[in-house]
């Protein structure tokens, strides 16, 4: 894959449902899944103390549909 990932380690995702701030998570690692041909992000969620893996397409869809808000890490 020649395209870089859309999001970076340290970026913040905040989940909103019905206008309520439910959870925030930091992207902690990124790898490319050759089988699915997209990036996979590990997100550490603050309220659950768990880390989940989410495909880039799912993160992008949730941002576009205002389920997640996205805050770029400042380098």
């Amino acid at each position: 894959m020649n395209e870089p990932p859309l999001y970076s380690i340290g970026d913040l995702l905040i989940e909103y449902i019905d206008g309520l701030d439910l959870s925030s998570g930091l992207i902690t690692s990124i790898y490319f899944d050759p089988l699915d041909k997209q990036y996979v992000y590990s997100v550490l969620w603050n309220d659950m103390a768990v880390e989940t893996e989410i495909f880039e397409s799912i993160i992008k869809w949730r941002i576009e549909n205002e389920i997640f808000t996205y805050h770029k890490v400042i380098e």
Side-chain angles (χ1 to χ4, degrees):
M1 173 120 188
N2 294 334
E3 295 181 29
L6 292 176
Y7 313 108
S8 302
I9 293 175
D11 289 353
L12 177 67
L13 300 171
I14 299 175
E15 184 175 10
Y16 285 100
I17 295 180
D18 295 331
L20 299 174
D21 179 6
L22 295 180
S23 183
S24 59
L26 282 174
I27 296 174
T28 58
S29 67
I30 305 166
Y31 70 89
F32 184 76
D33 184 334
L35 186 60
D36 289 306
K37 298 182 180 158
Q38 64 178 309
Y39 288 99
V40 178
Y41 298 83
S42 291
V43 179
L44 180 62
W45 296 100
N46 71 331
D47 64 335
M48 298 179 279
V50 298
E51 198 161 9
T52 59
E53 291 188 342
I54 307 173
F55 285 113
E56 185 171 83
S57 60
I58 294 172
I59 292 175
K60 185 176 181 206
W61 182 87
R62 287 180 171 221
I63 291 169
E64 289 171 351
N65 288 281
E66 299 178 352
I67 297 168
F68 284 169
T69 57
Y70 167 71
H71 303 277
K72 180 89 177 131
V73 67
I74 299 173
E75 296 182 33

